[in-house]
Amino acid sequence: MSFYTSLSGLTAAQTDLATISHNLANVGTNGFKKSRSEFADVIASSVGTNPNQAVGSGTVVKANRQQFSQGNLVQTQSALDIAISGDGFFAVKPKLDGGAVNFTRNGSYLVDANRYVVDGQGAHLQAYPVDGSGAVVASGLSSAVSVRLPATSGTPVATQNVGLSVNLPAGGAIPATATFNRFDPSSYNQSVQTTIYDSVGNAQTLTTYFKRETVPTGGSPNSTWSAHSFVGDQALTSGGAAAITLTFDASGVLTAPTTATTFDAFTPASSPNPQVVALNFGTATTQLGAPFDVAATSQDGVAVGQLQGVTIDSEGLIKASFSNGETQTLGKVLLANFANPSGLRQLGSSSWSATGLSGDPVLGEPGANGFGNLLSGTIERSNVDTTEELVALISAQRNFQANAKALETDKAIAQTIFNIQ
């Protein structure tokens, strides 16, 4: 009997050693929670057994209980690193596991190729859907959504009207090269570029070249300039004319054109749709003795905003910012808690799933009653204390040695009995 009693002690000590070793191996694993082996004595008795003479039969593993104490919080440089200071778990949905939802304390997230916010195993972070003001519009685990970053924001509007006001130098000379060639700087005096947008929101460059054609003479105090416009490599025409003629009087006031010039329809290289643009030099365009200067530019097109960044604030609101200045609230991080977290099933990779022992998940928001606060740019490390585990390791080793010694003693006694003649 004592042989099996010592054997149960050896098995228990070996389980304790394995548990401690597992803890130490994961001291650097984000969101890892250590475990503690708990044992119970084994007593076989009946109503006829004298309680003063009952002898135990060894030990048995009662539980390998997880310890969900807070791990150390470490600041990082990533906006998608979030930690829970207090109780709660993040909800994540593995992409290959149907509708199952797992739970984790590891808040290290990134964006995958499909723009989903995922953990290191590719599981999608779950959040409550929100309206434009950030208010939650649906609760419950079945209403949770996978957080996905939109690639663009806004509705594109093609540029139709461009305003361009410049000062052309009164002392500007007529170019030496008579025929305009945009690739030959000696054939024009100045150029200016304006960004416009096509029908799908792509940015295009409208370049306008100014060439002096005439200077004031005794017979005519006026002077003229020609303006040649290109969108990319496409020359813009107006009624078939390749250039707009600007006329200035003796005081440098623009006398023609007095209204916007509408170019013939053209199709940008980046858009399948034809586009019509009108260019208006306005009354602020002058010809004075000052150097060439761009006084103002404007256009009425709207670009599509490109994703520039994402942040998660202390309330769990996930916000994406775009190049056109817009900001979208994509959702609110949901937290889950359990009546008995120790009853969760370990799945590895610092993830757990609910069981009958843990109870159903209770959902809430960061900072709500029963849930911890959310810290952005922070990671929760393992809650393993290396010093504590090493002391426990020594204790488990001593237990193993003591039971081995008891087993050796039992063997010696048996051998003595066998040698009796």
Side-chain angles (χ1 to χ4, degrees):
M1 178 64 72
S2 59
F3 176 86
Y4 293 103
T5 301
S6 297
L7 182 61
S8 70
L10 283 173
T11 302
Q14 191 171 22
T15 300
D16 200 14
L17 285 168
T19 300
I20 297 169
S21 297
H22 181 65
N23 292 341
L24 288 170
N26 286 280
V27 70
T29 302
N30 293 334
F32 176 80
K33 298 302 176 184
K34 64 182 179 182
S35 297
R36 182 181 66 202
S37 295
E38 297 180 353
F39 305 96
D41 58 324
V42 179
I43 298 292
S45 62
S46 65
V47 295
T49 302
N50 185 343
N52 294 323
Q53 295 181 349
V55 177
S57 301
T59 186
V60 66
V61 178
K62 182 179 181 181
N64 198 27
R65 197 174 302 280
Q66 301 172 79
Q67 308 295 306
F68 285 93
S69 59
Q70 181 81 51
N72 292 327
L73 301 178
V74 180
Q75 291 186 340
T76 69
Q77 300 299 318
S78 174
L80 289 179
D81 284 344
I82 48 179
I84 304 171
S85 178
D87 296 329
F89 296 82
F90 299 111
V92 293
K93 181 175 289 187
K95 57 184 178 180
L96 300 179
D97 198 14
V101 175
N102 298 332
F103 306 92
T104 181
R105 292 278 298 191
N106 184 2
S108 179
Y109 296 102
L110 48 87
V111 181
D112 68 6
N114 296 316
R115 305 190 307 280
Y116 284 101
V117 177
V118 299
D119 63 13
Q121 288 68 51
H124 296 174
L125 175 65
Q126 300 298 290
Y128 289 127
V130 297
D131 59 19
S133 66
V136 174
V137 297
S139 59
L141 204 55
S142 60
S143 301
V145 296
S146 296
V147 180
R148 190 182 190 190
L149 306 182
T152 59
S153 175
T155 302
V157 176
T159 298
Q160 294 181 319
N161 298 287
V162 177
L164 178 60
S165 298
V166 299
N167 177 66
L168 299 172
I174 298 175
T177 302
T179 304
F180 168 76
N181 181 357
R182 69 189 182 102
F183 298 111
D184 182 4
S186 66
S187 67
Y188 60 89
N189 298 78
Q190 306 290 343
S191 66
V192 61
Q193 295 180 326
T194 305
T195 300
I196 64 173
Y197 299 95
D198 61 21
S199 60
V200 292
N202 294 317
Q204 305 289 321
T205 300
L206 170 65
T207 305
T208 302
Y209 301 87
F210 296 95
K211 177 188 176 185
R212 186 153 201 176
E213 300 291 350
T214 64
V215 298
T217 62
S220 175
N222 297 334
S223 59
T224 59
W225 295 70
S226 60
H228 302 260
S229 295
F230 289 78
V231 173
D233 292 328
Q234 296 188 64
L236 301 186
T237 60
S238 177
I244 302 172
T245 300
L246 284 71
T247 303
F248 297 90
D249 62 16
S251 60
V253 175
L254 180 66
T255 58
T258 57
T259 59
T261 300
T262 301
F263 294 112
D264 300 328
F266 68 98
T267 301
S270 59
S271 171
N273 304 315
Q275 186 170 351
V276 176
V277 173
L279 177 59
N280 189 355
F281 290 102
T283 58
T285 294
T286 57
Q287 178 190 265
L288 302 175
F292 176 80
D293 179 58
V294 178
T297 60
S298 64
Q299 61 88 35
D300 59 359
V302 176
V304 172
Q306 301 298 319
L307 180 67
Q308 284 192 324
V310 59
T311 59
I312 303 176
D313 65 17
S314 59
E315 296 181 354
L317 291 175
I318 306 166
K319 299 179 180 179
S321 56
F322 300 86
S323 58
N324 59 357
E326 292 186 3
T327 300
Q328 290 186 24
T329 303
L330 308 179
K332 190 170 191 177
V333 175
L334 70 86
L335 298 182
N337 209 349
F338 296 88
N340 177 29
S342 296
L344 293 170
R345 177 180 290 110
Q346 299 185 65
L347 302 176
S349 301
S350 300
S351 296
W352 294 266
S353 63
T355 68
L357 294 177
S358 67
D360 293 331
V362 178
L363 304 183
E365 302 175 11
N369 291 335
F371 296 92
N373 296 315
L374 208 61
L375 302 177
S376 180
T378 306
I379 284 292
E380 181 183 4
R381 303 300 301 272
S382 166
N383 67 346
V384 175
D385 186 322
T386 305
T387 303
E388 179 184 345
E389 295 300 320
L390 289 176
V391 172
L393 186 65
I394 294 173
S395 177
Q397 181 185 18
R398 295 298 188 191
N399 292 340
F400 187 91
Q401 291 173 337
N403 282 280
K405 188 65 176 178
L407 190 62
E408 182 181 346
T409 301
D410 181 72
K411 176 184 176 182
I413 293 173
Q415 187 64 44
T416 299
I417 294 174
F418 292 152
N419 291 336
I420 294 176
Q421 296 181 357

